[in-house]
């Protein structure tokens, strides 16, 4: 709505994850590199955690965009599912036909698919976003699925991405075996004040503007203080401020506005 008023090519602070706007702060770069290199080097199980709104889903989409066409991926989002439903969703994402089969049949189809990809020396990636939503029993069953045979470990890569609650789940006695088999764990941190300023400027430059043109220094100070370095909160504040500026016919946003 305010895009034309500010001469933006598109709205710079949309809440929809978009890899085109990805800003690589230090911990984001570490997580991105971990996911990409871990898959390529077949590390096994990789865990990425971070507070809500720190950009985990955007990073996942950037990783998926960078992966080779030879790597088969199953991307599962917000998996509040039973193990059977999760297995069925994974097969569906891998384009393996399923029609209401029982769990044993689904396991057979999964094993058959992995054996086929192993013979072709291809990599299969199961990438689960919002993994803190998976129940402990389902995580335990998933762990058993991942370690059914030694050859599978070379082919099957698993990324569990979730909020900080996932760390607490993995620390439980029930999931001790799964935690022991995690190859790498990275936590995405909120942005520093310097990174917050860089993030805002990066997104505005992507649409043909810049932070100094759009926000006064005191407005930027207030955004840094209030957002606490959470990208989703930065987007909410900036988007609301730009809408207010458009409503008041003001092309630069100050702290009062």
């Amino acid at each position: 709505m305010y895009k034309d008023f500010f001469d933006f090519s598109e709205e710079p602070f949309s809440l929809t994850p978009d890899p085109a706007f990805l800003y690589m702060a230090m911990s984001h770069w570490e997580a991105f590199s971990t996911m990409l290199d871990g898959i390529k080097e077949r590390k096994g199980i990789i865990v990425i955690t971070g507070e809500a709104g720190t950009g985990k889903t955007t990073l996942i989409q950037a990783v998926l965009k960078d992966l080779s066409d030879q790597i088969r991926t199953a991307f599962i989002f917000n998996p509040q599912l039973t193990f059977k439903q999760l297995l069925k969703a994974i097969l569906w994402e891998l384009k393996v036909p399923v029609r209401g089969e029982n769990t044993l049949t689904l396991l057979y189809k999964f094993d058959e698919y992995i054996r086929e990809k192993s013979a072709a020396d291809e990599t299969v990636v199961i990438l689960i976003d919002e993994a803190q939503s998976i129940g402990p029993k389902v995580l335990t069953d998933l762990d058993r699925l991942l370690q059914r045979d030694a050859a599978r470990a070379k082919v099957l890569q698993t990324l569990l991405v979730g909020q900080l609650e996932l760390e607490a789940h993995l620390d439980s006695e029930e999931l001790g075996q799964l935690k022991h088999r995690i190859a790498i764990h990275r936590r995405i941190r909120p942005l520093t004040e310097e990174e917050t300023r860089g993030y805002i400027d990066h997104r505005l430059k992507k649409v043909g503007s810049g932070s100094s043109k759009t926000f006064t220094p005191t407005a930027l100070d207030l955004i840094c203080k209030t957002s606490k370095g959470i990208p989703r909160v930065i987007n909410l504040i900036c988007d609301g401020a730009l809408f207010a500026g458009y409503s008041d016919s003001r092309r630069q946003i100050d702290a009062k506005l």
Side-chain angles (χ1 to χ4, degrees):
M1 187 176 290
Y2 55 69
K3 176 171 70 75
D4 294 338
F5 177 77
F6 287 101
D7 295 322
F8 296 156
S9 59
E10 56 186 304
E11 292 186 3
F13 297 103
S14 170
L15 292 180
T16 304
D18 185 350
F21 281 90
L22 180 61
Y23 174 75
M24 285 289 192
M26 180 59 70
S27 70
H28 289 77
W29 173 250
E30 289 171 353
F32 177 81
S33 300
T34 293
M35 288 190 278
L36 207 56
D37 294 343
I39 290 168
K40 290 177 180 177
E41 295 172 16
R42 295 181 170 181
K43 292 292 187 183
I45 301 175
I46 299 168
V47 173
I48 305 293
T49 55
E51 292 182 46
T54 48
K56 298 183 295 297
T57 302
T58 306
L59 275 181
I60 288 170
Q61 292 184 350
V63 167
L64 290 172
K65 190 176 178 182
D66 263 27
L67 289 178
S68 161
D69 291 339
Q70 299 302 312
I71 296 176
R72 311 301 174 185
T73 58
F75 177 34
I76 310 297
F77 177 76
N78 204 16
Q80 296 182 356
L81 306 168
T82 65
F83 176 68
K84 179 181 176 181
Q85 290 169 335
L86 177 61
L87 182 55
K88 198 168 185 177
I90 290 169
L91 287 168
W92 180 267
E93 284 285 311
L94 294 172
K95 298 181 171 55
V96 178
V98 289
R99 290 180 178 272
E101 288 89 344
N102 60 40
T103 304
L104 284 175
T105 304
L106 294 173
L107 286 169
Y108 174 79
K109 285 196 170 188
F110 183 79
D111 287 342
E112 188 177 47
Y113 180 86
I114 295 300
R115 281 195 299 270
E116 176 188 318
K117 298 308 171 188
S118 179
D121 196 31
E122 295 183 12
T123 300
V124 178
V125 179
I126 298 174
L127 204 164
I128 302 178
D129 195 8
E130 301 295 346
Q132 77 282 347
S133 300
I134 307 178
K137 185 181 183 308
V138 177
L139 270 176
T140 301
D141 289 340
L142 177 63
D143 185 38
R144 292 195 187 106
L145 175 71
L146 300 177
Q147 55 178 319
R148 281 161 70 90
D149 60 65
R152 175 171 300 174
K154 297 179 181 179
V155 176
L156 191 56
Q157 305 302 300
T158 306
L159 270 67
L160 300 177
V161 182
Q163 297 177 26
L164 299 183
E165 295 94 315
L166 177 60
E167 295 179 11
H169 295 336
L170 293 170
D171 282 337
S172 68
E173 185 177 346
E174 190 175 0
L175 295 173
Q177 287 191 0
L178 173 58
K179 183 175 182 179
H180 182 70
R181 297 196 314 107
I182 293 170
I184 311 171
H185 173 205
R186 292 281 182 270
R187 181 189 284 187
I188 299 173
R189 300 182 298 273
L191 305 179
T192 64
E193 180 177 335
E194 182 181 356
E195 288 170 341
T196 298
R197 294 175 186 276
Y199 175 89
I200 294 167
D201 194 50
H202 171 78
R203 294 188 77 105
L204 285 167
K205 283 179 176 176
K206 281 284 185 180
V207 300
S209 186
S211 58
S212 60
K213 179 180 178 181
T214 309
F215 294 99
T216 65
T218 52
L220 287 171
D221 290 343
L222 191 55
I223 295 167
C224 291
K225 180 181 177 181
T226 308
S227 68
K228 298 180 179 178
I230 304 296
R232 184 182 298 163
V233 180
I234 299 168
N235 285 12
L236 281 166
I237 295 171
C238 291
D239 184 69
L242 289 168
F243 182 77
Y246 161 74
S247 298
D248 284 2
S249 297
R250 294 166 65 178
R251 294 188 182 276
Q252 190 175 49
I253 309 301
D254 61 17
K256 183 178 179 181
L257 184 61

PDB file of all heavy atoms in Angstrom, residues 77-101:
ATOM      1  N   PHE A  77       7.012 -28.811   7.454  1.00  0.00           N
ATOM      2  CA  PHE A  77       6.848 -27.587   8.243  1.00  0.00           C
ATOM      3  C   PHE A  77       5.821 -27.797   9.345  1.00  0.00           C
ATOM      4  O   PHE A  77       4.741 -28.330   9.111  1.00  0.00           O
ATOM      5  CB  PHE A  77       6.407 -26.430   7.331  1.00  0.00           C
ATOM      6  CG  PHE A  77       6.157 -25.144   8.083  1.00  0.00           C
ATOM      7  CD1 PHE A  77       7.225 -24.376   8.519  1.00  0.00           C
ATOM      8  CD2 PHE A  77       4.864 -24.727   8.360  1.00  0.00           C
ATOM      9  CE1 PHE A  77       7.007 -23.202   9.213  1.00  0.00           C
ATOM     10  CE2 PHE A  77       4.638 -23.546   9.053  1.00  0.00           C
ATOM     11  CZ  PHE A  77       5.714 -22.781   9.474  1.00  0.00           C
ATOM     12  N   ASN A  78       6.179 -27.361  10.554  1.00  0.00           N
ATOM     13  CA  ASN A  78       5.281 -27.400  11.714  1.00  0.00           C
ATOM     14  C   ASN A  78       4.659 -28.784  11.908  1.00  0.00           C
ATOM     15  O   ASN A  78       3.442 -28.959  11.778  1.00  0.00           O
ATOM     16  CB  ASN A  78       4.184 -26.336  11.573  1.00  0.00           C
ATOM     17  CG  ASN A  78       3.611 -25.943  12.931  1.00  0.00           C
ATOM     18  OD1 ASN A  78       4.195 -26.224  13.967  1.00  0.00           O
ATOM     19  ND2 ASN A  78       2.461 -25.312  12.911  1.00  0.00           N
ATOM     20  N   PRO A  79       5.468 -29.779  12.239  1.00  0.00           N
ATOM     21  CA  PRO A  79       5.055 -31.184  12.182  1.00  0.00           C
ATOM     22  C   PRO A  79       4.327 -31.689  13.433  1.00  0.00           C
ATOM     23  O   PRO A  79       4.835 -32.522  14.173  1.00  0.00           O
ATOM     24  CB  PRO A  79       6.395 -31.902  12.031  1.00  0.00           C
ATOM     25  CG  PRO A  79       7.330 -31.029  12.810  1.00  0.00           C
ATOM     26  CD  PRO A  79       6.860 -29.628  12.642  1.00  0.00           C
ATOM     27  N   GLN A  80       3.137 -31.184  13.691  1.00  0.00           N
ATOM     28  CA  GLN A  80       2.336 -31.707  14.805  1.00  0.00           C
ATOM     29  C   GLN A  80       1.614 -32.957  14.306  1.00  0.00           C
ATOM     30  O   GLN A  80       0.391 -32.960  14.078  1.00  0.00           O
ATOM     31  CB  GLN A  80       1.366 -30.643  15.304  1.00  0.00           C
ATOM     32  CG  GLN A  80       2.080 -29.439  15.900  1.00  0.00           C
ATOM     33  CD  GLN A  80       1.117 -28.398  16.433  1.00  0.00           C
ATOM     34  OE1 GLN A  80      -0.086 -28.518  16.307  1.00  0.00           O
ATOM     35  NE2 GLN A  80       1.658 -27.360  17.033  1.00  0.00           N
ATOM     36  N   LEU A  81       2.399 -34.032  14.140  1.00  0.00           N
ATOM     37  CA  LEU A  81       1.929 -35.231  13.468  1.00  0.00           C
ATOM     38  C   LEU A  81       2.260 -36.471  14.286  1.00  0.00           C
ATOM     39  O   LEU A  81       3.171 -36.466  15.108  1.00  0.00           O
ATOM     40  CB  LEU A  81       2.623 -35.366  12.092  1.00  0.00           C
ATOM     41  CG  LEU A  81       2.540 -34.182  11.138  1.00  0.00           C
ATOM     42  CD1 LEU A  81       3.507 -34.386   9.982  1.00  0.00           C
ATOM     43  CD2 LEU A  81       1.120 -34.008  10.612  1.00  0.00           C
ATOM     44  N   THR A  82       1.531 -37.549  14.031  1.00  0.00           N
ATOM     45  CA  THR A  82       1.936 -38.858  14.529  1.00  0.00           C
ATOM     46  C   THR A  82       3.112 -39.337  13.683  1.00  0.00           C
ATOM     47  O   THR A  82       3.400 -38.770  12.614  1.00  0.00           O
ATOM     48  CB  THR A  82       0.789 -39.864  14.419  1.00  0.00           C
ATOM     49  OG1 THR A  82       0.498 -40.066  13.021  1.00  0.00           O
ATOM     50  CG2 THR A  82      -0.464 -39.372  15.139  1.00  0.00           C
ATOM     51  N   PHE A  83       3.791 -40.387  14.130  1.00  0.00           N
ATOM     52  CA  PHE A  83       4.914 -40.900  13.345  1.00  0.00           C
ATOM     53  C   PHE A  83       4.441 -41.373  11.968  1.00  0.00           C
ATOM     54  O   PHE A  83       5.101 -41.115  10.962  1.00  0.00           O
ATOM     55  CB  PHE A  83       5.601 -42.049  14.082  1.00  0.00           C
ATOM     56  CG  PHE A  83       6.696 -42.679  13.267  1.00  0.00           C
ATOM     57  CD1 PHE A  83       7.855 -41.981  12.980  1.00  0.00           C
ATOM     58  CD2 PHE A  83       6.555 -43.966  12.768  1.00  0.00           C
ATOM     59  CE1 PHE A  83       8.865 -42.548  12.218  1.00  0.00           C
ATOM     60  CE2 PHE A  83       7.559 -44.548  12.006  1.00  0.00           C
ATOM     61  CZ  PHE A  83       8.717 -43.830  11.726  1.00  0.00           C
ATOM     62  N   LYS A  84       3.305 -42.041  11.921  1.00  0.00           N
ATOM     63  CA  LYS A  84       2.780 -42.513  10.637  1.00  0.00           C
ATOM     64  C   LYS A  84       2.505 -41.331   9.710  1.00  0.00           C
ATOM     65  O   LYS A  84       2.839 -41.364   8.516  1.00  0.00           O
ATOM     66  CB  LYS A  84       1.497 -43.321  10.849  1.00  0.00           C
ATOM     67  CG  LYS A  84       0.869 -43.822   9.552  1.00  0.00           C
ATOM     68  CD  LYS A  84      -0.412 -44.607   9.820  1.00  0.00           C
ATOM     69  CE  LYS A  84      -1.082 -45.009   8.501  1.00  0.00           C
ATOM     70  NZ  LYS A  84      -2.336 -45.763   8.727  1.00  0.00           N
ATOM     71  N   GLN A  85       1.894 -40.271  10.240  1.00  0.00           N
ATOM     72  CA  GLN A  85       1.607 -39.086   9.421  1.00  0.00           C
ATOM     73  C   GLN A  85       2.896 -38.419   8.954  1.00  0.00           C
ATOM     74  O   GLN A  85       2.984 -37.963   7.807  1.00  0.00           O
ATOM     75  CB  GLN A  85       0.759 -38.095  10.226  1.00  0.00           C
ATOM     76  CG  GLN A  85      -0.661 -38.545  10.479  1.00  0.00           C
ATOM     77  CD  GLN A  85      -1.379 -37.667  11.491  1.00  0.00           C
ATOM     78  OE1 GLN A  85      -0.759 -37.019  12.348  1.00  0.00           O
ATOM     79  NE2 GLN A  85      -2.701 -37.631  11.410  1.00  0.00           N
ATOM     80  N   LEU A  86       3.896 -38.369   9.847  1.00  0.00           N
ATOM     81  CA  LEU A  86       5.183 -37.778   9.482  1.00  0.00           C
ATOM     82  C   LEU A  86       5.857 -38.591   8.380  1.00  0.00           C
ATOM     83  O   LEU A  86       6.352 -38.028   7.390  1.00  0.00           O
ATOM     84  CB  LEU A  86       6.092 -37.718  10.717  1.00  0.00           C
ATOM     85  CG  LEU A  86       7.514 -37.181  10.493  1.00  0.00           C
ATOM     86  CD1 LEU A  86       7.476 -35.745   9.982  1.00  0.00           C
ATOM     87  CD2 LEU A  86       8.330 -37.266  11.784  1.00  0.00           C
ATOM     88  N   LEU A  87       5.854 -39.906   8.531  1.00  0.00           N
ATOM     89  CA  LEU A  87       6.455 -40.782   7.524  1.00  0.00           C
ATOM     90  C   LEU A  87       5.745 -40.626   6.183  1.00  0.00           C
ATOM     91  O   LEU A  87       6.390 -40.559   5.124  1.00  0.00           O
ATOM     92  CB  LEU A  87       6.393 -42.232   7.998  1.00  0.00           C
ATOM     93  CG  LEU A  87       7.010 -43.309   7.104  1.00  0.00           C
ATOM     94  CD1 LEU A  87       8.461 -42.988   6.780  1.00  0.00           C
ATOM     95  CD2 LEU A  87       6.902 -44.669   7.777  1.00  0.00           C
ATOM     96  N   LYS A  88       4.433 -40.524   6.237  1.00  0.00           N
ATOM     97  CA  LYS A  88       3.656 -40.354   5.010  1.00  0.00           C
ATOM     98  C   LYS A  88       3.972 -39.005   4.349  1.00  0.00           C
ATOM     99  O   LYS A  88       4.108 -38.914   3.120  1.00  0.00           O
ATOM    100  CB  LYS A  88       2.163 -40.450   5.335  1.00  0.00           C
ATOM    101  CG  LYS A  88       1.277 -40.710   4.146  1.00  0.00           C
ATOM    102  CD  LYS A  88      -0.134 -41.075   4.597  1.00  0.00           C
ATOM    103  CE  LYS A  88      -1.004 -41.454   3.417  1.00  0.00           C
ATOM    104  NZ  LYS A  88      -2.373 -41.878   3.844  1.00  0.00           N
ATOM    105  N   ALA A  89       4.117 -37.959   5.169  1.00  0.00           N
ATOM    106  CA  ALA A  89       4.451 -36.629   4.643  1.00  0.00           C
ATOM    107  C   ALA A  89       5.843 -36.633   4.009  1.00  0.00           C
ATOM    108  O   ALA A  89       6.061 -36.013   2.961  1.00  0.00           O
ATOM    109  CB  ALA A  89       4.384 -35.601   5.771  1.00  0.00           C
ATOM    110  N   ILE A  90       6.785 -37.335   4.632  1.00  0.00           N
ATOM    111  CA  ILE A  90       8.143 -37.427   4.078  1.00  0.00           C
ATOM    112  C   ILE A  90       8.108 -38.123   2.711  1.00  0.00           C
ATOM    113  O   ILE A  90       8.709 -37.650   1.739  1.00  0.00           O
ATOM    114  CB  ILE A  90       9.076 -38.182   5.050  1.00  0.00           C
ATOM    115  CG1 ILE A  90       9.346 -37.325   6.291  1.00  0.00           C
ATOM    116  CG2 ILE A  90      10.386 -38.561   4.368  1.00  0.00           C
ATOM    117  CD1 ILE A  90      10.030 -38.079   7.426  1.00  0.00           C
ATOM    118  N   LEU A  91       7.397 -39.237   2.626  1.00  0.00           N
ATOM    119  CA  LEU A  91       7.296 -39.962   1.354  1.00  0.00           C
ATOM    120  C   LEU A  91       6.616 -39.106   0.291  1.00  0.00           C
ATOM    121  O   LEU A  91       7.017 -39.106  -0.879  1.00  0.00           O
ATOM    122  CB  LEU A  91       6.522 -41.265   1.568  1.00  0.00           C
ATOM    123  CG  LEU A  91       7.279 -42.365   2.325  1.00  0.00           C
ATOM    124  CD1 LEU A  91       6.333 -43.488   2.741  1.00  0.00           C
ATOM    125  CD2 LEU A  91       8.423 -42.915   1.490  1.00  0.00           C
ATOM    126  N   TRP A  92       5.585 -38.387   0.697  1.00  0.00           N
ATOM    127  CA  TRP A  92       4.879 -37.504  -0.244  1.00  0.00           C
ATOM    128  C   TRP A  92       5.829 -36.448  -0.800  1.00  0.00           C
ATOM    129  O   TRP A  92       5.853 -36.179  -2.005  1.00  0.00           O
ATOM    130  CB  TRP A  92       3.693 -36.852   0.465  1.00  0.00           C
ATOM    131  CG  TRP A  92       2.907 -35.924  -0.400  1.00  0.00           C
ATOM    132  CD1 TRP A  92       3.060 -34.582  -0.537  1.00  0.00           C
ATOM    133  CD2 TRP A  92       1.834 -36.275  -1.293  1.00  0.00           C
ATOM    134  NE1 TRP A  92       2.166 -34.064  -1.438  1.00  0.00           N
ATOM    135  CE2 TRP A  92       1.400 -35.085  -1.914  1.00  0.00           C
ATOM    136  CE3 TRP A  92       1.205 -37.486  -1.604  1.00  0.00           C
ATOM    137  CZ2 TRP A  92       0.347 -35.070  -2.832  1.00  0.00           C
ATOM    138  CZ3 TRP A  92       0.159 -37.457  -2.526  1.00  0.00           C
ATOM    139  CH2 TRP A  92      -0.252 -36.276  -3.132  1.00  0.00           C
ATOM    140  N   GLU A  93       6.639 -35.831   0.097  1.00  0.00           N
ATOM    141  CA  GLU A  93       7.595 -34.811  -0.329  1.00  0.00           C
ATOM    142  C   GLU A  93       8.662 -35.404  -1.251  1.00  0.00           C
ATOM    143  O   GLU A  93       9.172 -34.717  -2.139  1.00  0.00           O
ATOM    144  CB  GLU A  93       8.268 -34.187   0.903  1.00  0.00           C
ATOM    145  CG  GLU A  93       7.402 -33.206   1.651  1.00  0.00           C
ATOM    146  CD  GLU A  93       7.285 -31.876   0.935  1.00  0.00           C
ATOM    147  OE1 GLU A  93       8.327 -31.322   0.538  1.00  0.00           O
ATOM    148  OE2 GLU A  93       6.152 -31.392   0.760  1.00  0.00           O
ATOM    149  N   LEU A  94       8.990 -36.665  -1.048  1.00  0.00           N
ATOM    150  CA  LEU A  94       9.982 -37.334  -1.898  1.00  0.00           C
ATOM    151  C   LEU A  94       9.359 -37.895  -3.181  1.00  0.00           C
ATOM    152  O   LEU A  94      10.032 -38.561  -3.964  1.00  0.00           O
ATOM    153  CB  LEU A  94      10.656 -38.467  -1.118  1.00  0.00           C
ATOM    154  CG  LEU A  94      11.526 -38.028   0.071  1.00  0.00           C
ATOM    155  CD1 LEU A  94      11.980 -39.230   0.883  1.00  0.00           C
ATOM    156  CD2 LEU A  94      12.735 -37.217  -0.399  1.00  0.00           C
ATOM    157  N   LYS A  95       8.067 -37.591  -3.353  1.00  0.00           N
ATOM    158  CA  LYS A  95       7.326 -38.016  -4.553  1.00  0.00           C
ATOM    159  C   LYS A  95       7.207 -39.531  -4.667  1.00  0.00           C
ATOM    160  O   LYS A  95       7.235 -40.088  -5.770  1.00  0.00           O
ATOM    161  CB  LYS A  95       7.940 -37.411  -5.819  1.00  0.00           C
ATOM    162  CG  LYS A  95       7.883 -35.881  -5.841  1.00  0.00           C
ATOM    163  CD  LYS A  95       8.480 -35.311  -7.109  1.00  0.00           C
ATOM    164  CE  LYS A  95       8.230 -33.810  -7.213  1.00  0.00           C
ATOM    165  NZ  LYS A  95       8.703 -33.031  -6.067  1.00  0.00           N
ATOM    166  N   VAL A  96       7.097 -40.188  -3.510  1.00  0.00           N
ATOM    167  CA  VAL A  96       6.830 -41.623  -3.475  1.00  0.00           C
ATOM    168  C   VAL A  96       5.328 -41.801  -3.290  1.00  0.00           C
ATOM    169  O   VAL A  96       4.774 -41.336  -2.293  1.00  0.00           O
ATOM    170  CB  VAL A  96       7.577 -42.309  -2.313  1.00  0.00           C
ATOM    171  CG1 VAL A  96       7.246 -43.798  -2.269  1.00  0.00           C
ATOM    172  CG2 VAL A  96       9.077 -42.089  -2.448  1.00  0.00           C
ATOM    173  N   PRO A  97       4.624 -42.437  -4.230  1.00  0.00           N
ATOM    174  CA  PRO A  97       3.158 -42.554  -4.132  1.00  0.00           C
ATOM    175  C   PRO A  97       2.721 -43.301  -2.869  1.00  0.00           C
ATOM    176  O   PRO A  97       3.247 -44.362  -2.555  1.00  0.00           O
ATOM    177  CB  PRO A  97       2.780 -43.356  -5.390  1.00  0.00           C
ATOM    178  CG  PRO A  97       3.943 -43.213  -6.316  1.00  0.00           C
ATOM    179  CD  PRO A  97       5.153 -43.073  -5.442  1.00  0.00           C
ATOM    180  N   VAL A  98       1.793 -42.702  -2.129  1.00  0.00           N
ATOM    181  CA  VAL A  98       1.222 -43.360  -0.942  1.00  0.00           C
ATOM    182  C   VAL A  98      -0.296 -43.160  -0.950  1.00  0.00           C
ATOM    183  O   VAL A  98      -0.783 -42.102  -1.281  1.00  0.00           O
ATOM    184  CB  VAL A  98       1.814 -42.789   0.367  1.00  0.00           C
ATOM    185  CG1 VAL A  98       3.249 -43.216   0.540  1.00  0.00           C
ATOM    186  CG2 VAL A  98       1.730 -41.269   0.414  1.00  0.00           C
ATOM    187  N   ARG A  99      -1.013 -44.213  -0.560  1.00  0.00           N
ATOM    188  CA  ARG A  99      -2.480 -44.143  -0.540  1.00  0.00           C
ATOM    189  C   ARG A  99      -3.015 -44.886   0.679  1.00  0.00           C
ATOM    190  O   ARG A  99      -3.442 -46.030   0.578  1.00  0.00           O
ATOM    191  CB  ARG A  99      -3.073 -44.759  -1.813  1.00  0.00           C
ATOM    192  CG  ARG A  99      -2.827 -43.959  -3.074  1.00  0.00           C
ATOM    193  CD  ARG A  99      -3.451 -44.658  -4.277  1.00  0.00           C
ATOM    194  NE  ARG A  99      -3.267 -43.889  -5.488  1.00  0.00           N
ATOM    195  CZ  ARG A  99      -4.090 -42.945  -5.913  1.00  0.00           C
ATOM    196  NH1 ARG A  99      -5.161 -42.654  -5.203  1.00  0.00           N
ATOM    197  NH2 ARG A  99      -3.866 -42.310  -7.042  1.00  0.00           N
ATOM    198  N   GLY A 100      -2.956 -44.232   1.831  1.00  0.00           N
ATOM    199  CA  GLY A 100      -3.565 -44.784   3.029  1.00  0.00           C
ATOM    200  C   GLY A 100      -2.965 -46.074   3.536  1.00  0.00           C
ATOM    201  O   GLY A 100      -3.641 -46.872   4.178  1.00  0.00           O
ATOM    202  N   GLU A 101      -1.696 -46.344   3.229  1.00  0.00           N
ATOM    203  CA  GLU A 101      -1.060 -47.582   3.660  1.00  0.00           C
ATOM    204  C   GLU A 101      -0.839 -47.610   5.171  1.00  0.00           C
ATOM    205  O   GLU A 101      -0.794 -46.573   5.822  1.00  0.00           O
ATOM    206  CB  GLU A 101       0.297 -47.771   2.956  1.00  0.00           C
ATOM    207  CG  GLU A 101       0.195 -48.138   1.478  1.00  0.00           C
ATOM    208  CD  GLU A 101       0.143 -46.918   0.575  1.00  0.00           C
ATOM    209  OE1 GLU A 101      -0.111 -45.822   1.097  1.00  0.00           O
ATOM    210  OE2 GLU A 101       0.356 -47.070  -0.645  1.00  0.00           O
TER     211      GLU A 101
END
